[in-house]
Amino acid sequence: MPNGLAYLMLLIWPMVCLILFRTQRLERALIWSILGGYLFLPPLAEFNLPLIPAMDKTSIPNLSVLLILLLGVQHRVNIWPDARLAQWLVAGLVLSAIPTVLTNGDPITFEVLRDADPIVFIVDQLPGQSVRDIGSVLIAQVLSLVPFLLARQFLASENGLRELLTALMVGALIYSVPSLIEIRLSPQMNVWVYGFFQHSFEQMMRDGGFRPIVFLPHGLWLALFVCTGLIAAAGLARVAEPEQRLRAFAIVAYLAVLLVLCKSLASLAYGVALTPLVLFTPLRWQMRLACLFAIVAVVYPMLRNFQLVPLDAILAQAEAINPARAQSLEYRFNNEEQLLARAAEKPLFGWGGWGRSLIRDGETGEILSIPDGRWIIIFGTFGWLGYLCEFGLLALPIAMLAYYMRRNADGALSPLVPPLCLILGITMVDMLLNATLTSLTWLTAGALLGHAERLSPRGSAVPRHTMGRPAMAPPPQRSGKRTVL
């Protein structure tokens, strides 16, 4: 049960965002309003109000930055993408809530003595969705896309991309302190600060020690964040000035050690494989690999539906590396098989919310199958429409930038772009195993989409010579405070 401090932090975070916008450059304020909320606000704690989605560590920062930029900053906010396909995908992802709600009006009942009329003994039921639920789902979809839409405008410049890479690296460095404490003393930071533990403590025990979780939903989330910080540090080290290169490589080494201590096999594999690539290989190779990651993530459900994924071979390889991890992977695959069969009953628009897409006992309503991967969650909830729009929107910036590089020389693309594409690509791949879609993922995708639109001949009308400048030059200020109010 969250303590009073947990709810107080949620309440004061809009003020924290406002202070950031008053004291920092717009790009930095936007990033740290989202990133700070993700790292330091309490998980699971939320305010549940009628007819609107829950206000938690994701929706509160997103709503705060949107209102500040719309009402308190002297910038014209243009959140609608320029790329035509991006427009369709954004509209499809938001409006997919409408057919999903309208096709799930029937309640799901759990009863004993089924088909024994006239005796009816209902134990429990999941309510059907009604027209009044459309507004709540639409608001939730829009709020989830706020980082993407704002980053597309305000982080699209080369300065914005550098600011984003720097924030990911600095965030990982800051988080290393509580992470090392938890690795040594056990995961207790959330208990000490917010009064509760947010997950299963047993899952934080690994290889005779502990893996950290701090204020994130799971230790896997933290390991993936450290991995993204490591790749960001490697990208910055590659372009560092000669006098700063030693310190930059020291940061890379430090975060690599921290990633090992996080004891997450998948994130460790990402870091080991990609860090040398970011440091030493041509940009074109990095973009090709990021594009491959995006393609795998988008087509994976189609391959699973047609039984084209070699599950036995994958499990055999995993068992050769670590039998315990192979058992965990097999459990995930078995869950996916059951959930895919459930999703196949409503393939176009899904089952909607409130856990209607889960496998449950027909009499007691007890949940029998837990979804792990983000792909199966979105597929079961919003069907093919929601899945293709969400994963397509994440993959689109990588595809656009890879196409641009294919038509131009390596030097035409900023060296800051491939590391961010790889970060987005591995997050999409990890979403096949875990529900690791966060506001940071949308922030990265939006910044890359905005950059790709600027490079496109049909993109936004920003001259090429301004690519290294902020997304929109601020108007003249009459005082030292630069943006807000």
Side-chain angles (χ1 to χ4, degrees):
M1 181 69 180
N3 58 21
L5 179 61
Y7 293 104
L8 179 62
M9 284 294 293
L10 293 176
L11 286 173
I12 68 173
W13 195 254
M15 289 301 301
V16 174
C17 297
L18 186 60
I19 292 172
L20 285 172
F21 276 92
R22 285 198 56 111
T23 58
Q24 304 296 323
R25 295 198 307 270
L26 189 147
E27 296 91 341
R28 185 172 297 174
L30 172 59
I31 294 170
W32 280 100
S33 295
I34 302 295
L35 176 58
Y38 176 69
L39 294 180
F40 299 113
L41 289 181
L44 302 183
E46 60 185 22
F47 295 106
N48 280 307
L49 302 175
L51 301 180
I52 64 172
M55 293 289 104
D56 56 17
K57 68 181 294 175
T58 298
S59 54
I60 288 177
N62 291 356
L63 181 59
S64 299
V65 298
L66 178 62
L67 292 178
I68 289 172
L69 285 170
L70 287 175
L71 304 178
V73 175
Q74 297 177 9
H75 284 280
R76 184 176 62 87
V77 177
N78 178 23
I79 62 175
W80 192 241
D82 293 321
R84 183 64 57 85
L85 182 55
Q87 295 174 359
W88 282 102
L89 291 173
V90 168
L93 183 56
V94 172
L95 298 179
S96 63
I98 297 176
T100 295
V101 170
L102 294 180
T103 56
N104 284 281
D106 53 314
I108 299 175
T109 60
F110 308 100
E111 58 180 286
V112 182
L113 304 175
R114 190 177 296 274
D115 300 326
D117 291 337
I119 301 174
V120 177
F121 188 74
I122 296 178
V123 178
D124 198 3
Q125 74 172 11
L126 296 176
Q129 296 190 298
S130 62
V131 175
R132 72 174 188 173
D133 296 313
I134 293 178
S136 176
V137 182
L138 284 175
I139 294 172
Q141 295 289 79
V142 171
L143 281 180
S144 68
L145 286 175
V146 163
F148 174 84
L149 298 173
L150 294 179
R152 186 202 68 83
Q153 178 180 358
F154 295 110
L155 301 181
S157 69
E158 190 163 345
N159 285 346
L161 299 181
R162 182 181 294 273
E163 197 71 50
L164 182 54
L165 282 172
T166 302
L168 292 174
M169 179 189 73
V170 172
L173 290 174
I174 294 173
Y175 234 50
S176 69
V177 177
S179 296
L180 290 172
I181 293 174
E182 290 197 338
I183 291 169
R184 180 65 182 88
L185 300 179
S186 81
Q188 297 293 329
M189 200 65 62
N190 203 76
V191 177
W192 295 337
V193 177
Y194 295 127
F196 70 103
F197 192 74
Q198 64 268 48
H199 209 277
S200 169
F201 190 84
E202 290 77 10
Q203 292 192 24
M204 302 304 109
M205 302 173 64
R206 179 66 54 83
D207 299 331
F210 302 101
R211 54 185 182 183
I213 183 172
V214 192
F215 304 124
L216 299 188
H218 194 283
L220 297 175
W221 272 246
L222 191 146
L224 184 63
F225 176 68
V226 172
C227 180
T228 62
L230 172 60
I231 296 172
L236 292 171
R238 178 167 178 154
V239 299
E241 298 294 333
E243 62 272 12
Q244 299 177 342
R245 196 157 292 168
L246 180 60
R247 184 181 67 174
F249 276 89
I251 293 174
V252 171
Y254 173 74
L255 291 178
V257 173
L258 178 62
L259 182 58
V260 173
L261 295 176
C262 287
K263 302 181 180 68
S264 172
L265 183 60
S267 294
L268 180 60
Y270 304 147
V272 169
L274 298 182
T275 302
L277 291 176
V278 173
L279 287 171
F280 305 116
T281 62
L283 302 183
R284 190 176 297 270
W285 293 11
Q286 298 178 40
M287 288 302 303
R288 287 172 178 170
L289 184 57
C291 200
L292 177 62
F293 287 153
I295 292 172
V296 169
V298 171
V299 304
Y300 179 80
M302 307 173 196
L303 300 178
R304 284 299 307 269
N305 274 324
F306 291 106
Q307 306 295 320
L308 296 177
V309 178
L311 300 182
D312 293 336
I314 294 174
L315 291 174
Q317 290 293 326
E319 189 168 6
I321 298 173
N322 189 318
R325 303 284 63 77
Q327 185 177 6
S328 174
L329 189 60
E330 183 178 15
Y331 174 77
R332 292 168 186 262
F333 285 157
N334 290 336
N335 269 336
E336 286 180 2
E337 292 290 343
Q338 299 177 56
L339 292 166
L340 273 174
R342 172 72 171 170
E345 299 177 30
K346 293 192 174 184
L348 294 181
F349 307 124
W351 285 92
W354 300 327
R356 293 167 57 89
S357 64
L358 303 181
I359 306 297
R360 296 174 180 265
D361 184 275
E363 293 187 355
T364 66
E366 179 185 359
I367 297 175
L368 303 177
S369 184
I370 302 295
D372 287 307
R374 172 64 186 180
W375 78 271
I376 192 63
I377 295 174
I378 189 70
F379 187 56
T381 304
F382 293 103
W384 277 113
L385 177 60
Y387 174 83
L388 291 175
C389 288
E390 181 172 284
F391 274 69
L393 198 56
L394 292 171
L396 180 61
I398 299 177
M400 292 175 64
L401 290 164
Y403 179 73
Y404 175 83
M405 174 165 273
R406 181 181 177 184
R407 300 190 62 180
N408 297 274
D410 285 7
L413 195 65
S414 167
L416 302 175
V417 169
L420 285 170
C421 287
L422 286 172
I423 288 172
L424 180 57
I426 63 167
T427 303
M428 292 183 66
V429 170
D430 198 72
M431 285 162 58
L432 302 179
L433 300 174
N434 305 296
T436 44
L437 177 64
T438 68
S439 296
L440 302 184
T441 310
W442 286 118
L443 204 68
T444 304
L448 291 173
L449 177 64
H451 195 74
E453 288 178 344
R454 292 184 170 205
L455 293 172
S456 171
R458 293 180 296 177
S460 57
V462 178
R464 295 291 181 87
H465 65 273
T466 65
M467 287 301 297
R469 302 179 187 174
M472 186 182 298
Q477 302 290 318
R478 291 180 293 178
S479 66
K481 301 301 182 183
R482 55 171 295 285
T483 54
V484 179
L485 301 181

